[in-house]
Amino acid sequence: MKSVKNLLIPFVLMILLLIGSIVFFIYKKNTKPAETEDTLIDVLYVDNNTVKSITTQSSNADFKTVKITASQNTDGSLLYAYEGDDLDDTLSYSQEDMSSYVALLSSYSCEALISSEGNFAEYGLDNPVYTITLETFDGSKSVVYLGNKTPDSSYCYMRVDGSNDVYTVAVAKMIKAEYQGIDLLESQILDVDYSKIDTVEFDRTTDGLNIEATCEIYEETGDPQYFIHKPFNIQASAYFENLVEYVCTLEITSFMDISDDQLSQYGLDKPTFHFCITMDSGEKKDIYFSSDLGGYYYGYIAGMKNYFMVSDQQIKGLETPALTLLNSYISYYSACDISSIKGTYNGDSFDFELNVNDTAAISDDDSTVTINGRNAKIFNSDDRSYCAMLFESLVCIEIGGIESESSVSPDAIPVMTLTFVTNDYETTEYDFYQRDTDSYYVYVNGEYSQFYVYSRELFNDGGSDTYSYGVWPAYSMLLTAIDNSIDGIYDIPSDSGTDTTENTTESNVA
């Protein structure tokens, strides 16, 4: 029996241990861990929606007193106004930033109570770094003092007027209290009404570029379009339009305090870029930018007190090559705008006449197109029209480059002349003079345009590629198509196509 008892005792102990383990795990599963209590101390709470004014002063003599006042709209929302000592009434202050300023500095939940002894000097509160005065719409007033930062700079010391208690509060309060009016300004500092722009001037010192353009508005869309009249006469490209848009809606990274002796450091003693936007009223806006300095441009607007910095992501295109700022073509017309185009080359000539409605294409059934009096509406098997091929070669002559002066002699004869006549009877003549073996100077109505074009624009034979023809091969191919078409259809032989640019130099031109 004794041996049986000896066996039972361990067994009973094992059963008890098993039961205890089950009870423990059931208890643990159904018991939540204790929640951590919030240790912050609410020292002062003023509902920011009740704040009528907030004033921040500093023991720092260079600090300009900040004051923000609030008025209530009929819907109960607040409208803030900046009234600090550094007020610049030529600029706009951000409602969002002023609201954030009031919200952060109107309530104080502190990390710890440090002292109740009134030993303010120990914490920089005998002569506080910042004094913040809050006044509410009901007439109550609260004054908060911010002293030194704690040794680890994570907190600063603070107290409320009328109390000897000193607390630590997040240093974010002090960082916000450091703000001046310049930090509360709208980041978008320009919002120009395009419909009231007369001219836009863009100067760049890096290459001596000086562009002047007039602004017109597309009636259909209300978008602006710019026509450059100095130093060229040509429509501006979309790149120029985008650049002007960046400036007219200028958004900056921040304003900056830059002294006169620091101007050269920021490239503002001699700005690299200058825009002058002249409005219909005669008002002018002059905007200046430095060159790119580490991903930022520094600038100012004439008449405003502050300098600013703007990232290269907020303004693009300041260094766009001059040629890219211009329309790609020496001229561009829609078929519905043109009455006729005449061309002469090497003793030969053509007369290309069009009658195309506003909403029609040049090859539509109701369009009338002739070349030297013959019907020019001949197609290939892919429904590509040869009259469209010629028209595109004429209105899409791409500018090859800019050259400020021409070497054409006064008695020189143009290699080719194209004369465009619009439906409004406006006539524009384009003369092409030899520049070198592969390019031609472009003269418009007898004046040098400062552009040249490459030979391919006038003389390239595109073979079976009807989208790569120069002017004269396109004309020749149209005649061939007319002469050889069957029921208005002609296909270019597959082995056709040679580049004729090598044979374009004329002996009778300079």
Side-chain angles (χ1 to χ4, degrees), residues 1 3 20 38 40 50 56 63 75 108 112 135 139 166 210 215 252 295 302 337 377 382 414 425 439 468 473 484:
M1 284 298 287
S3 61
D38 188 356
L40 294 179
T50 69
T56 302
F63 186 86
D75 62 357
Y108 296 82
E135 296 187 40
V166 176
N210 173 240
C215 178
I252 65 170
D337 296 327
K377 291 167 64 176
D382 294 325
Y425 307 105
S439 62
S468 65
N484 296 280

Coordinates of all heavy atoms in Angstrom, one line a residue, residues 1 3 20 38 40 50 56 63 75 108 112 135 139 166 210 215 252 295 302 337 377 382 414 425 439 468 473 484:
M1 N 0.8 -1.2 0.0 CA 0.0 0.0 0.0 C 0.9 1.2 0.0 O 0.5 2.2 -0.6 CB -0.9 0.0 1.2 CG -2.1 -0.9 1.2 SD -3.2 -0.5 -0.2 CE -4.0 1.0 0.4
S3 N 3.6 1.7 -1.4 CA 4.1 2.0 -2.7 C 3.0 2.6 -3.6 O 3.3 3.4 -4.5 CB 4.6 0.7 -3.4 OG 3.6 -0.3 -3.5
G20 N -4.1 24.2 -12.4 CA -3.6 25.6 -12.1 C -3.2 26.3 -13.4 O -3.4 27.5 -13.6
D38 N -2.3 59.3 -19.4 CA -1.7 60.5 -19.9 C -1.0 61.3 -18.8 O -1.7 61.7 -17.9 CB -2.8 61.3 -20.7 CG -2.1 62.5 -21.4 OD1 -0.9 62.6 -21.4 OD2 -2.9 63.2 -22.1
L40 N 0.6 64.3 -19.3 CA 0.6 65.7 -19.6 C -0.3 66.5 -18.6 O -1.4 66.0 -18.2 CB 0.2 66.0 -21.0 CG 1.2 65.5 -22.1 CD1 0.6 65.8 -23.5 CD2 2.6 66.0 -21.9
T50 N -12.1 81.2 -29.8 CA -12.6 82.3 -29.0 C -11.5 83.4 -28.9 O -11.8 84.4 -28.3 CB -12.9 81.8 -27.6 OG1 -11.7 81.5 -26.9 CG2 -13.9 80.7 -27.6
T56 N 2.7 88.4 -29.5 CA 3.9 87.8 -29.0 C 5.0 88.9 -29.0 O 5.3 89.5 -30.1 CB 4.3 86.6 -29.9 OG1 3.2 85.7 -30.0 CG2 5.6 86.0 -29.4
F63 N 13.6 91.4 -32.3 CA 12.3 90.8 -32.6 C 11.3 91.8 -32.8 O 11.1 92.8 -32.0 CB 11.9 89.9 -31.4 CG 10.7 89.0 -31.7 CD1 10.8 87.8 -32.3 CD2 9.5 89.5 -31.2 CE1 9.6 87.1 -32.5 CE2 8.3 88.7 -31.4 CZ 8.4 87.5 -32.1
D75 N -21.1 83.4 -40.7 CA -21.3 81.9 -40.5 C -20.5 81.4 -39.3 O -20.5 80.2 -39.1 CB -20.8 81.2 -41.8 CG -19.4 81.4 -42.1 OD1 -18.7 82.1 -41.4 OD2 -18.9 80.8 -43.1
Y108 N -1.7 75.0 -23.5 CA -0.5 74.5 -23.1 C -0.7 73.2 -22.2 O -1.1 73.3 -21.0 CB 0.3 75.6 -22.3 CG 0.6 76.7 -23.2 CD1 -0.3 77.7 -23.4 CD2 1.9 76.8 -23.7 CE1 0.0 78.8 -24.3 CE2 2.2 77.9 -24.6 CZ 1.2 78.9 -24.9 OH 1.5 79.9 -25.7
A112 N 5.9 68.5 -17.3 CA 6.1 68.3 -15.9 C 6.1 69.6 -15.2 O 6.4 70.7 -15.7 CB 7.5 67.6 -15.7
E135 N -6.2 87.4 -25.8 CA -7.4 88.0 -25.5 C -8.6 87.4 -26.2 O -8.5 87.1 -27.4 CB -7.4 89.5 -25.8 CG -6.3 90.3 -25.0 CD -6.4 91.8 -25.2 OE1 -7.5 92.3 -25.3 OE2 -5.3 92.4 -25.3
G139 N -13.6 89.2 -23.5 CA -12.8 90.2 -22.7 C -11.8 89.6 -21.8 O -11.0 90.4 -21.2
V166 N 6.4 76.6 -12.4 CA 7.2 76.6 -13.6 C 7.1 75.2 -14.2 O 7.2 74.2 -13.5 CB 8.7 76.9 -13.3 CG1 9.5 76.7 -14.6 CG2 8.8 78.3 -12.8
N210 N 16.8 88.7 -74.6 CA 15.8 89.7 -74.3 C 14.6 89.6 -75.1 O 14.6 89.9 -76.3 CB 16.4 91.2 -74.4 CG 15.3 92.2 -74.2 OD1 15.1 93.0 -75.0 ND2 14.7 92.2 -73.0
C215 N 0.5 89.7 -75.2 CA -0.4 88.6 -74.7 C -1.8 88.7 -75.3 O -2.4 89.8 -75.2 CB -0.5 88.6 -73.2 SG -1.6 87.4 -72.4
I252 N 6.4 80.5 -53.6 CA 7.8 80.4 -53.1 C 7.9 79.4 -52.0 O 6.9 78.9 -51.5 CB 8.2 81.8 -52.6 CG1 7.3 82.2 -51.4 CG2 8.1 82.9 -53.7 CD1 7.8 83.4 -50.6
G295 N 19.9 74.2 -56.0 CA 18.5 73.8 -56.1 C 17.5 74.9 -55.8 O 16.3 74.6 -55.8
A302 N 10.1 94.0 -57.3 CA 10.2 95.4 -57.1 C 9.0 96.0 -56.3 O 7.9 95.7 -56.7 CB 10.5 96.1 -58.4
D337 N -7.3 79.2 -93.0 CA -6.9 80.6 -93.0 C -6.3 81.1 -94.3 O -6.1 82.3 -94.4 CB -5.9 80.8 -91.8 CG -6.5 80.5 -90.5 OD1 -7.7 80.8 -90.3 OD2 -5.8 80.0 -89.6
K377 N -6.5 67.3 -105.2 CA -7.0 66.3 -104.2 C -6.8 64.9 -104.8 O -7.7 64.2 -105.2 CB -8.4 66.6 -103.8 CG -8.5 67.9 -103.0 CD -10.0 68.4 -102.8 CE -10.8 67.4 -102.1 NZ -12.2 67.9 -101.9
D382 N -3.7 54.5 -98.9 CA -4.0 54.7 -97.5 C -4.8 55.9 -97.1 O -4.9 56.3 -96.0 CB -2.6 54.7 -96.7 CG -1.9 53.4 -96.8 OD1 -2.6 52.3 -96.9 OD2 -0.6 53.4 -96.9
P414 N 17.3 85.2 -103.8 CA 16.9 84.1 -102.9 C 16.8 82.8 -103.7 O 16.5 82.8 -104.9 CB 15.5 84.5 -102.4 CG 15.0 85.5 -103.4 CD 16.2 86.2 -103.9
Y425 N -6.6 88.7 -96.7 CA -5.7 89.5 -97.7 C -4.4 89.9 -97.1 O -3.8 90.8 -97.7 CB -6.5 90.6 -98.3 CG -7.8 90.2 -98.9 CD1 -9.0 90.6 -98.2 CD2 -7.9 89.5 -100.1 CE1 -10.2 90.2 -98.7 CE2 -9.1 89.1 -100.6 CZ -10.3 89.5 -99.9 OH -11.5 89.1 -100.4
S439 N 22.1 74.9 -95.3 CA 21.1 75.7 -94.6 C 20.9 77.0 -95.3 O 21.7 77.5 -96.1 CB 21.6 76.0 -93.1 OG 22.8 76.7 -93.1
S468 N 7.7 63.3 -94.5 CA 9.1 63.8 -94.4 C 9.6 64.5 -95.7 O 10.7 64.5 -95.9 CB 10.0 62.6 -94.0 OG 10.1 61.7 -95.1
P473 N 10.2 69.0 -103.3 CA 9.8 67.6 -103.7 C 8.4 67.3 -103.4 O 7.8 66.4 -104.1 CB 10.8 66.8 -102.7 CG 11.9 67.6 -102.5 CD 11.4 69.0 -102.4
N484 N -0.3 60.8 -112.9 CA -0.3 59.3 -112.9 C -1.4 58.7 -112.1 O -1.4 57.4 -112.0 CB 1.1 58.8 -112.5 CG 2.2 59.2 -113.3 OD1 2.5 58.6 -114.4 ND2 2.9 60.2 -112.9

